Amino acid sequence: MRKNKIRSAVAAAAITAAALGGAVATAPEAAAASCNPWTQKGKTTTAVNLRSNHSTSSAALGVLSKGTRVTSNCLWWDGSSQYQWYRIKVTSGANAGRTGWMWGAYFWGFAN
């Protein structure tokens, strides 16, 4: 079910980009693509590293505890992974105010 939500979100972002005259990247181009605008409030589903870039090999900027509230302002997807990376701003907890990247498998979005 979660896979379907993510795929739907990616499809919606592509449709929106196309409607606004933007190009929709194919899977090989997506790896080199920049971040796609994506505003979503959410929280972490488990403890997760806040990263300096969209890679597990990038520097960890801190650890976000389970339930830390965040706001995403874009998503990055390489075209082949099951989940995307979110560029976020931390809005609660010990790292409040910091920005960085988190792996989408640990992001739970909500409306408020």
Side-chain angles (χ1 to χ4, degrees), residues 15-36:
I15 291 168
T16 302
L20 295 174
V24 177
T26 60
E29 295 169 356
S34 62
C35 201
N36 296 300

Side-chain angles (χ1 to χ4, degrees), residues 3 8 14-15 23 31 41 46 56 59 63-64 66 68 74-75 80 82 86-89 95 98 106 108:
K3 288 181 189 178
S8 295
I15 291 168
K41 291 182 180 180
T46 190
T56 56
V63 176
L64 307 179
K66 179 180 179 178
T68 299
C74 73
L75 68 88
S80 63
Q82 179 180 357
Y86 291 88
R87 186 171 64 202
I88 60 159
K89 180 173 185 177
N95 289 289
R98 296 191 85 174
Y106 306 119
W108 182 261

Side-chain angles (χ1 to χ4, degrees), residues 15-90:
I15 291 168
T16 302
L20 295 174
V24 177
T26 60
E29 295 169 356
S34 62
C35 201
N36 296 300
W38 181 266
T39 302
Q40 176 75 50
K41 291 182 180 180
K43 65 180 179 178
T44 59
T45 60
T46 190
V48 61
N49 283 320
L50 179 65
R51 297 276 183 184
S52 62
N53 208 337
H54 48 77
S55 168
T56 56
S57 62
S58 66
L61 304 175
V63 176
L64 307 179
S65 338
K66 179 180 179 178
T68 299
R69 291 185 177 264
V70 299
T71 300
S72 166
N73 59 12
C74 73
L75 68 88
W76 183 90
W77 184 52
D78 67 7
S80 63
S81 299
Q82 179 180 357
Y83 296 103
Q84 302 89 14
W85 285 87
Y86 291 88
R87 186 171 64 202
I88 60 159
K89 180 173 185 177
V90 182

